[in-house]
Coordinates of all heavy atoms in Angstrom, one line a residue:
H48 N -36.1 -99.7 94.0 CA -35.1 -98.9 94.5 C -34.8 -99.2 96.0 O -33.7 -99.3 96.4 CB -35.5 -97.4 94.4 CG -34.5 -96.4 94.9 ND1 -33.2 -96.4 94.4 CD2 -34.5 -95.4 95.8 CE1 -32.5 -95.4 95.0 NE2 -33.3 -94.8 95.8
F49 N -35.9 -99.4 96.8 CA -35.8 -99.8 98.2 C -35.2 -101.2 98.3 O -34.4 -101.5 99.2 CB -37.1 -99.7 98.9 CG -37.5 -98.3 99.3 CD1 -38.8 -97.9 99.2 CD2 -36.5 -97.4 99.7 CE1 -39.1 -96.6 99.5 CE2 -36.9 -96.1 100.0 CZ -38.2 -95.7 100.0
A52 N -31.6 -100.9 97.8 CA -30.9 -100.3 99.0 C -30.7 -101.4 100.1 O -29.7 -101.4 100.7 CB -31.8 -99.2 99.5
L87 N -21.8 -95.9 103.4 CA -23.1 -96.5 103.4 C -24.0 -95.8 104.4 O -25.1 -95.4 104.1 CB -23.0 -98.0 103.8 CG -24.3 -98.7 104.1 CD1 -25.0 -98.9 102.7 CD2 -24.0 -100.1 104.7
F88 N -23.5 -95.5 105.6 CA -24.4 -94.9 106.6 C -24.6 -93.4 106.3 O -25.7 -92.9 106.5 CB -23.8 -95.1 108.0 CG -24.1 -96.5 108.5 CD1 -23.0 -97.4 108.6 CD2 -25.3 -96.9 108.9 CE1 -23.2 -98.7 109.0 CE2 -25.6 -98.2 109.3 CZ -24.5 -99.1 109.4
V89 N -23.7 -92.7 105.7 CA -23.9 -91.4 105.2 C -25.0 -91.4 104.1 O -25.9 -90.6 104.1 CB -22.6 -90.7 104.7 CG1 -22.9 -89.4 103.9 CG2 -21.6 -90.5 105.8
Q90 N -24.9 -92.4 103.2 CA -25.8 -92.5 102.1 C -27.2 -92.8 102.6 O -28.2 -92.2 102.1 CB -25.4 -93.7 101.2 CG -26.2 -93.9 100.0 CD -26.1 -92.8 99.0 OE1 -25.7 -91.7 99.2 NE2 -26.4 -93.1 97.7
I91 N -27.4 -93.6 103.7 CA -28.7 -93.9 104.2 C -29.3 -92.6 104.8 O -30.4 -92.3 104.6 CB -28.6 -95.0 105.3 CG1 -28.3 -96.3 104.6 CG2 -29.9 -95.1 106.1 CD1 -27.9 -97.4 105.6
G92 N -28.4 -91.9 105.6 CA -28.9 -90.6 106.1 C -29.3 -89.6 105.1 O -30.4 -89.0 105.2
L93 N -28.5 -89.5 104.0 CA -28.9 -88.6 102.9 C -30.1 -89.0 102.2 O -31.0 -88.2 101.8 CB -27.7 -88.4 101.9 CG -26.6 -87.6 102.4 CD1 -25.4 -87.7 101.4 CD2 -27.0 -86.1 102.5
G94 N -30.3 -90.3 102.0 CA -31.4 -90.9 101.3 C -32.7 -90.6 102.1 O -33.7 -90.2 101.5
I95 N -32.7 -90.8 103.4 CA -33.9 -90.5 104.2 C -34.2 -89.0 104.2 O -35.3 -88.6 104.0 CB -33.7 -91.0 105.7 CG1 -33.6 -92.5 105.7 CG2 -34.8 -90.5 106.6 CD1 -33.2 -93.2 107.0
Y96 N -33.2 -88.2 104.4 CA -33.4 -86.7 104.4 C -33.9 -86.3 103.0 O -34.8 -85.5 103.0 CB -32.1 -86.0 104.7 CG -32.2 -84.5 104.8 CD1 -32.7 -84.0 106.0 CD2 -31.8 -83.7 103.8 CE1 -32.9 -82.6 106.1 CE2 -32.0 -82.3 103.9 CZ -32.5 -81.8 105.1 OH -32.7 -80.4 105.2
T97 N -33.4 -86.8 101.9 CA -33.8 -86.4 100.6 C -35.2 -86.8 100.3 O -36.0 -86.1 99.7 CB -32.8 -86.9 99.5 OG1 -31.5 -86.5 99.8 CG2 -33.2 -86.5 98.1
W98 N -35.6 -88.0 100.8 CA -36.9 -88.5 100.6 C -37.9 -87.7 101.3 O -39.0 -87.4 100.9 CB -37.0 -90.0 101.0 CG -38.2 -90.7 100.6 CD1 -38.9 -90.6 99.4 CD2 -38.9 -91.7 101.4 NE1 -40.0 -91.4 99.4 CE2 -40.0 -92.1 100.6 CE3 -38.7 -92.2 102.6 CZ2 -40.9 -93.1 101.1 CZ3 -39.6 -93.2 103.1 CH2 -40.7 -93.6 102.3
Q99 N -37.6 -87.2 102.6 CA -38.5 -86.5 103.4 C -38.6 -85.0 102.9 O -39.7 -84.4 103.0 CB -38.0 -86.4 104.8 CG -38.1 -87.8 105.5 CD -39.5 -88.4 105.6 OE1 -40.4 -87.7 105.9 NE2 -39.6 -89.7 105.3
R100 N -37.5 -84.4 102.4 CA -37.4 -83.0 102.0 C -36.7 -83.0 100.7 O -35.5 -82.6 100.6 CB -36.7 -82.2 103.0 CG -37.4 -82.1 104.3 CD -36.5 -81.4 105.3 NE -37.2 -81.3 106.6 CZ -37.6 -80.2 107.2 NH1 -37.4 -79.1 106.6 NH2 -38.2 -80.2 108.3
P101 N -37.3 -83.3 99.6 CA -36.6 -83.3 98.3 C -36.1 -81.9 97.9 O -36.9 -81.0 97.9 CB -37.7 -83.8 97.3 CG -38.9 -84.2 98.1 CD -38.7 -83.7 99.5
S102 N -34.9 -81.9 97.5 CA -34.3 -80.7 97.0 C -33.1 -81.1 96.1 O -32.5 -82.1 96.3 CB -33.9 -79.7 98.0 OG -32.7 -80.1 98.7
D105 N -29.6 -81.7 98.0 CA -29.6 -82.9 98.8 C -29.6 -84.1 97.9 O -28.9 -85.1 98.2 CB -30.9 -82.9 99.7 CG -30.9 -81.8 100.7 OD1 -29.8 -81.3 101.0 OD2 -32.0 -81.4 101.0
H109 N -26.7 -87.0 97.6 CA -27.0 -88.5 97.7 C -26.5 -89.2 96.5 O -25.9 -90.3 96.7 CB -28.6 -88.6 97.7 CG -29.1 -90.0 97.9 ND1 -28.8 -90.7 99.0 CD2 -29.9 -90.7 97.2 CE1 -29.4 -91.9 99.0 NE2 -30.0 -91.9 97.8

Side-chain angles (χ1 to χ4, degrees):
H48 184 56
F49 282 141
L87 172 70
F88 286 106
V89 169
Q90 182 72 336
I91 291 169
L93 284 170
I95 292 169
Y96 185 77
T97 301
W98 190 40
Q99 296 297 319
R100 298 174 179 243
S102 72
D105 299 331
H109 185 61

